[in-house]
Amino acid sequence: MRTAIVTGSSGFIGYFVSLTLLRSGWRVIGIDSLSDYYDTNLKLQRQSQLSAYAEFTVVNEKLETPQALMSLFKEHRPEVVIHLAAQAGVRHSIDVPRAYVDANIIGTFELLEAARAFPPAHMLLASSSSIFGANSQMPYKEADKVDTQMSFYAATKKATESMAHSYAHLYDLPTTMFRFFTVYGPWGRPDMAYFKFTKAILNGEPIDVYNHGKMQRDFTYVDDLVRAIVALINVTPDPANPVASDSVSPVAPFRVVNIGNASPVTLMDFIAAIEAACGLEAIKTYHPIQPGDVPATWADTSLLQNLIGQQHSTPVTDGLQKFVDWYRDFYKV
């Protein structure tokens, strides 16, 4: 039986990754701090569903706690590590930057140190499309220069990429970083726009529309994302054998991969899809763009396709209908 450590296992993406691995016969060691950044009840309910599997072991601990990860790696000797735990949120990073240093930078450092001591066959670490920052040429490619982050959250994710590359080079740790593009779906994070919009629309309350609706996002349905992550487990980076459009490092077994829908959707179309799924029209309040935000994202997914083949992309209308159906059932509205 293959063993994986999944950090952030009670989070949105971590829950679905862990569930998929368990259903495929993996043994999963899940670690999560159950932070109160958003409703911990949602995290506990995800964790409860995972705990129904005999091969799931949960550890509620902060990654940055000294030796916590070292002990887990020593005990379980994971074949694969999927690092999804992070302090998320562009806007929150303006108010509480230290939380991002602790969780994203120090937490990742502790993970890398544990991997150095007990090397897994493959490390897969989450980055973010936000690291493209002020880049204006789209679609974003993995080889693009990324030196103009617009938020402190994005800066910490860029730092984790650099840290991981150095460990991959120094200690020959096969490492894949994936850059997520606006992931959404059932069991999602309540701080995300689609979650807030659905709640407000169903309650007859106004929604806040930033940059006067002139925004575009490469919205990625969670099932599509998870399929890509799991498929990448067996695709370790090798500088001696690059593929077309590869971002593999010339000096380390290290690769960066975009995971997105490769089809940006305007914010107003996104809202219209939520309205259709809810069967109600939103009351809209328009605002300027928020500090740290970017007006558009768009993933070039050529490398992903070259590595794992053509992937299914869920249309936004279908994905949002599934989310709204889940929301109504979960919150009994």
Side-chain angles (χ1 to χ4, degrees):
M1 181 176 289
R2 304 175 79 183
T3 297
I5 283 182
V6 178
T7 72
S9 57
S10 299
F12 171 37
I13 298 169
Y15 162 71
F16 280 105
V17 168
S18 298
L19 190 62
T20 299
L21 292 176
L22 289 165
R23 287 173 173 171
S24 301
W26 283 71
R27 179 169 169 258
V28 176
I29 315 302
I31 181 167
D32 201 290
S33 70
L34 297 177
S35 75
D36 61 1
Y37 171 60
Y38 64 82
D39 184 13
T40 54
N41 178 58
L42 194 57
K43 299 179 181 182
L44 288 169
Q45 293 216 39
R46 297 185 193 119
Q47 189 174 101
S48 175
Q49 293 201 17
L50 295 174
S51 296
Y53 289 82
E55 299 304 328
F56 180 71
T57 301
V58 63
V59 179
N60 293 136
E61 183 63 89
K62 292 182 176 180
L63 299 190
E64 60 267 32
T65 301
Q67 298 301 308
L69 284 165
M70 190 72 74
S71 297
L72 280 181
F73 275 66
K74 182 177 181 180
E75 179 181 356
H76 299 288
R77 306 298 173 103
E79 177 184 344
V80 169
V81 175
I82 303 178
H83 177 39
L84 299 162
Q87 176 57 60
V90 167
R91 291 152 198 162
H92 189 62
S93 69
I94 296 172
D95 300 324
V96 195
R98 184 173 294 277
Y100 292 74
V101 173
D102 292 343
N104 299 1
I105 296 179
I106 299 177
T108 300
F109 166 73
E110 293 289 346
L111 185 88
L112 293 170
E113 277 290 279
R116 177 168 72 93
F118 304 99
H122 196 182
M123 299 264 289
L124 299 102
L125 284 68
S127 186
S128 168
S129 62
S130 66
I131 73 159
F132 287 101
N135 289 17
S136 57
Q137 184 172 339
M138 287 185 270
Y140 294 145
K141 298 180 180 180
E142 291 87 352
D144 290 346
K145 190 175 182 179
V146 284
D147 290 338
T148 53
Q149 285 73 49
M150 303 279 280
S151 69
F152 190 63
Y153 163 70
T156 62
K157 296 307 261 183
K158 177 60 166 63
T160 62
E161 288 192 10
S162 298
M163 291 161 59
H165 180 272
S166 69
Y167 270 68
H169 167 68
L170 291 169
Y171 309 113
D172 196 33
L173 290 171
T175 302
T176 297
M177 303 282 318
F178 19 75
R179 293 173 180 167
F180 298 156
F181 283 72
T182 317
V183 186
Y184 73 100
W187 292 97
R189 287 184 6 227
D191 63 311
M192 296 293 285
Y194 68 95
F195 206 114
K196 292 179 178 179
F197 289 167
T198 299
K199 180 180 180 181
I201 290 169
L202 292 175
N203 289 336
E205 299 168 351
I207 64 172
D208 294 321
V209 181
Y210 291 97
N211 203 30
H212 303 280
K214 297 175 183 177
M215 308 275 279
Q216 284 186 314
R217 288 291 183 270
D218 198 349
F219 295 102
T220 310
Y221 189 63
V222 65
D223 287 358
D224 301 339
L225 174 82
V226 171
R227 276 192 294 268
I229 293 172
V230 172
L232 285 167
I233 287 175
N234 295 320
V235 185
T236 52
D238 179 1
N241 294 288
V243 302
S245 307
D246 214 337
S247 64
V248 69
S249 167
V251 295
F254 176 93
R255 172 185 283 134
V256 176
V257 184
N258 289 340
I259 305 181
N261 200 39
S263 180
V265 175
T266 68
L267 178 57
M268 299 311 295
D269 285 345
F270 191 70
I271 293 170
I274 298 175
E275 292 173 322
C278 292
L280 295 165
E281 186 174 349
I283 305 165
K284 304 173 186 71
T285 303
Y286 294 93
H287 302 276
I289 194 168
Q290 289 194 304
D293 223 341
V294 295
T297 62
W298 180 5
D300 183 319
T301 58
S302 302
L303 175 56
L304 181 66
Q305 293 177 33
N306 292 337
L307 293 171
I308 62 174
Q310 184 69 39
Q311 295 296 293
H312 174 72
S313 294
T314 301
V316 165
T317 49
D318 294 351
L320 286 172
Q321 185 65 63
K322 291 177 182 178
F323 170 75
V324 171
D325 290 346
W326 168 84
Y327 184 96
R328 285 184 181 275
D329 179 65
F330 188 82
Y331 291 103
K332 309 303 178 188
V333 294

